[in-house]
Amino acid sequence: MDSKTQTEIEAAVFRRLVKHLQDNTEVQNIDLMNLAGFCRNCLSKWYRAAAEERGEQVEDAAAREIVYGMPYDEWKAKHQKPASDSQLKQFEQNKPE
C-alpha cells in the first residue's frame, strides 16, 4: 500500500470514529477514559497537535467542535452527566502519575 492510500484510509477511520462518538453521546468521556485511556477531549488535543506539527493553527474550541460536532459547552449542557463516585474513583486509580 502506498503512503497516500494509507493516509486516506487513516483519515476515513478517524472520521468514522468521530462520527461514532458523536452518534453515541450516552458514552461519557469519563467512561472512555476509564476503559480506553482517552476521550473526546484527548482526540481534540491530538487533532490540534497534529495541525500544529504541519504549521496550521487550530484553537482548542475549534478542535473540540470538530470532534464533538457542536460547540463543547453545548455538548456538555445536552449530554454530559455528573460522574459517579465509582467512576471518579476508577479515574483516580488509573490516572498516570
Side-chain angles (χ1 to χ4, degrees):
M1 175 185 318
D2 63 65
S3 65
K4 180 180 181 295
T5 301
Q6 181 177 350
T7 299
E8 290 169 354
I9 291 168
E10 291 167 351
V13 170
F14 172 78
R15 288 189 296 271
R16 187 170 180 179
L17 172 61
V18 166
K19 177 77 170 110
H20 183 76
L21 291 172
Q22 290 172 356
D23 290 345
N24 291 279
T25 57
E26 73 281 1
V27 178
Q28 298 293 298
N29 281 334
I30 195 159
D31 295 325
L32 289 168
M33 287 298 296
N34 287 342
L35 292 171
F38 78 98
C39 69
R40 292 170 182 89
N41 290 330
C42 297
L43 283 176
S44 67
K45 289 175 185 174
W46 298 340
Y47 186 98
R48 187 200 68 226
E52 287 176 359
E53 288 172 4
R54 288 153 183 81
E56 299 292 332
Q57 292 298 106
V58 177
E59 298 295 323
D60 284 334
R64 282 183 172 177
E65 191 163 341
I66 289 165
V67 171
Y68 284 91
M70 65 183 71
Y72 180 55
D73 288 340
E74 182 181 335
W75 190 92
K76 283 181 13 180
K78 286 183 177 182
H79 304 294
Q80 187 167 311
K81 296 177 175 76
S84 69
D85 289 341
S86 64
Q87 287 171 316
L88 292 171
K89 182 178 178 184
Q90 184 178 0
F91 180 77
E92 286 301 317
Q93 289 172 343
N94 294 339
K95 192 167 59 171
E97 296 184 29

